[in-house]
Amino acid sequence: MKKNILLLSMLLGMLPAFAQNKKEVLKVLTLTNGYFMQKWPDTGKDIVLNKTWPSNIWTRAVYYEGLMAFYSINPKKEYYDYAVSWGEKHQWNLRSGITTRNADNQACGQTYVDLYLIDKKPERINNIKASIDSMLKTDKIDDWNWIDAIQMGMPLMAQLGKIYKDTTYFGRMHQMYNFTKYQHGGNGLYNTAEHLWWRDKDFVPPYKEPNGENCYWSRGNGWVLAALVRTMDQLPQTSPYYKDYLKDFKDMSAALLKLQRKDGFWNASLRDSTHFGGKELTGTSLFIYGMTWGIRKGYLNKSTYLPAVLKGWNALVKDCVHENGMLGFVQSTGKQPSDGQPVTYDKIPDFEDYGLGCFLLAGSEIYKLK
């Protein structure tokens, strides 16, 4: 034990100061978030690219998840007002309305619920509750046929179950999670031997990366790790499902730890550094978010994981943050390592919002470390 403590102290002593200084963490989160809020003063403005998207789609929802995490450590009224304005501009509704079963469309609900818990106005969660409740009235449990959906939908069901003290939400989300884990793609999207996830049925074996390894997309696995964290944060530890999520969280963390690059990042293709290898912010941020939470909760060994998350956080701050707060090395939307390439320091991704959301989630957890 003494040797582990000594080793940890030595490692921390070699890390740059901004990894250990809460003020510096707060400063970089303020800078990056300020860049986005200045760029998007109108929270209801459509996102216009190759087509027009409403601003309550999943990419923006992930940003607001990060903003609410940032608000939890730095409760400035302007952040709360910005989030409330977003909900109000959309009448607290979902893209495609309450009949949607698509988890991407429901992702906005996680922030709606967070804002409801601050000020319990029923209109803030009526629509998202109606959408989830309409799913519960059916027996269909195969909606999450891509792993990103686990992060977009599962924590929301956990939130609703907690608010209404209704375990029906917990039971359904567990059924849906297990269907994705064990049945989608033929035998499930989770490799129980390697403790990593295939993004969807298109990537299960015999599909292989150029080096012959399984294709595990960094951000996709980051979504699952984040989903487990955000779900366990809402779920009572006495729930029969908690131990399943905790086991998967620990197994994934251990597998991911071995795949961290020497520079602190994770490759877009987790097991093939030759296939669009290089720095990438979103997956790296989500892994830091999850592992740091695990350290704080005592689920992950501090002497093993803390050097890794601080190394990763330092790499993000040092290599990705522009002077004006823009973030570099953000992979654009997609479903595999080759999408949105090349990923570079100066390239603006198709959507900037979700990369910042991931970064804010990671930084907020780093800030909470003792």
Side-chain angles (χ1 to χ4, degrees):
M1 179 62 75
K2 287 182 179 179
K3 287 184 178 179
N4 286 340
I5 293 173
L6 178 61
L7 176 60
L8 180 58
S9 298
M10 291 172 62
L11 286 168
L12 290 177
M14 291 187 289
L15 289 169
F18 54 73
Q20 304 167 49
N21 188 321
K22 287 181 180 289
K23 288 183 179 180
E24 291 300 321
V25 174
L26 209 59
K27 182 178 177 181
V28 75
L29 296 181
T30 301
L31 174 68
T32 53
N33 184 64
Y35 162 82
F36 184 80
M37 286 179 62
Q38 276 194 322
K39 191 168 183 177
W40 291 89
D42 180 355
T43 57
K45 183 179 179 180
D46 287 343
I47 305 166
V48 181
L49 296 167
N50 59 319
K51 59 182 285 188
T52 299
W53 305 84
S55 66
N56 59 350
I57 59 171
W58 73 265
T59 66
R60 194 58 54 89
V62 171
Y63 161 69
Y64 281 100
E65 289 169 30
L67 179 64
M68 295 308 294
F70 184 32
Y71 177 76
S72 74
I73 62 168
N74 189 28
K76 290 188 175 182
K77 186 175 183 296
E78 63 188 283
Y79 301 153
Y80 172 75
D81 289 345
Y82 192 67
V84 170
S85 171
W86 178 64
E88 290 177 341
K89 287 286 181 73
H90 297 286
Q91 292 82 49
W92 306 98
N93 210 343
L94 297 68
R95 182 185 181 218
S96 301
I98 62 174
T99 59
T100 185
R101 298 181 65 99
N102 188 304
D104 282 352
N105 296 338
Q106 295 167 336
C108 58
Q110 294 186 48
T111 296
Y112 293 172
V113 170
D114 284 343
L115 293 169
Y116 167 80
L117 291 172
I118 296 171
D119 186 357
K120 295 186 177 179
K121 295 179 178 179
E123 64 267 22
R124 294 186 175 186
I125 59 170
N126 283 345
N127 290 329
I128 189 58
K129 184 178 185 299
S131 181
I132 299 299
D133 286 353
S134 70
M135 295 176 68
L136 267 56
K137 292 175 183 176
T138 73
D139 295 326
K140 182 173 165 58
I141 58 173
D142 62 350
D143 295 274
W144 298 342
N145 56 22
W146 75 110
I147 61 174
D148 314 32
I150 297 173
Q151 143 65 10
M152 306 304 160
M154 190 163 79
L156 174 59
M157 289 188 174
Q159 287 175 310
L160 292 172
K162 183 178 180 180
I163 289 174
Y164 292 101
K165 297 180 174 58
D166 186 348
T167 59
T168 306
Y169 295 100
F170 300 155
R172 176 53 62 89
M173 73 183 187
H174 192 65
Q175 287 180 308
M176 295 177 72
Y177 177 78
N178 276 347
F179 196 96
T180 305
K181 183 178 177 182
Y182 295 119
Q183 296 189 56
H184 272 308
N187 295 306
L189 300 181
Y190 182 60
N191 186 328
T192 55
E194 297 187 332
H195 304 302
L196 296 169
W197 296 73
W198 294 288
R199 198 271 182 178
D200 56 48
K201 65 179 177 58
D202 294 339
F203 299 96
V204 300
Y207 187 96
K208 295 290 182 182
E209 287 288 79
N211 70 347
E213 292 279 357
N214 283 315
C215 179
Y216 301 121
W217 184 39
S218 178
R219 186 162 70 232
N221 278 269
W223 290 137
V224 178
L225 197 70
L228 293 171
V229 165
R230 296 176 68 78
T231 299
M232 286 189 286
D233 255 344
Q234 303 297 322
L235 197 63
Q237 292 189 20
T238 54
S239 167
Y241 314 125
Y242 195 97
K243 64 180 184 300
D244 290 347
Y245 301 140
L246 182 58
K247 182 181 186 304
D248 289 350
F249 170 78
K250 288 181 175 180
D251 287 344
M252 283 187 70
S253 296
L256 290 164
L257 184 67
K258 298 174 185 177
L259 300 175
Q260 187 178 29
R261 292 157 44 110
K262 290 182 179 179
D263 62 7
F265 288 89
W266 277 263
N267 287 307
S269 179
L270 289 171
R271 297 191 66 125
D272 188 352
S273 62
T274 68
H275 192 209
F276 300 100
K279 301 168 184 176
E280 201 285 308
L281 177 140
T282 60
T284 297
S285 293
L286 292 168
F287 299 149
I288 293 170
Y289 169 59
M291 291 180 187
T292 307
W293 179 89
I295 294 168
R296 284 202 309 108
K297 293 291 184 179
Y299 293 141
L300 299 180
N301 182 276
K302 192 172 186 178
S303 62
T304 301
Y305 285 89
L306 184 59
V309 298
L310 292 182
K311 184 178 182 180
W313 177 248
N314 286 338
L316 290 175
V317 174
K318 175 177 172 289
D319 294 347
C320 298
V321 180
H322 289 237
E323 286 187 7
N324 67 350
M326 174 187 155
L327 292 171
F329 296 108
V330 175
Q331 187 181 13
S332 293
T333 54
K335 58 183 278 181
Q336 59 189 324
S338 60
D339 287 334
Q341 296 290 347
V343 176
T344 66
Y345 175 73
D346 291 318
K347 182 180 178 181
I348 299 176
D350 52 0
F351 296 83
E352 288 188 89
D353 41 14
Y354 63 90
L356 173 58
C358 296
F359 184 78
L360 293 173
L361 288 171
S364 296
E365 278 298 316
I366 290 287
Y367 182 88
K368 293 176 186 176
L369 282 174
K370 293 181 179 179

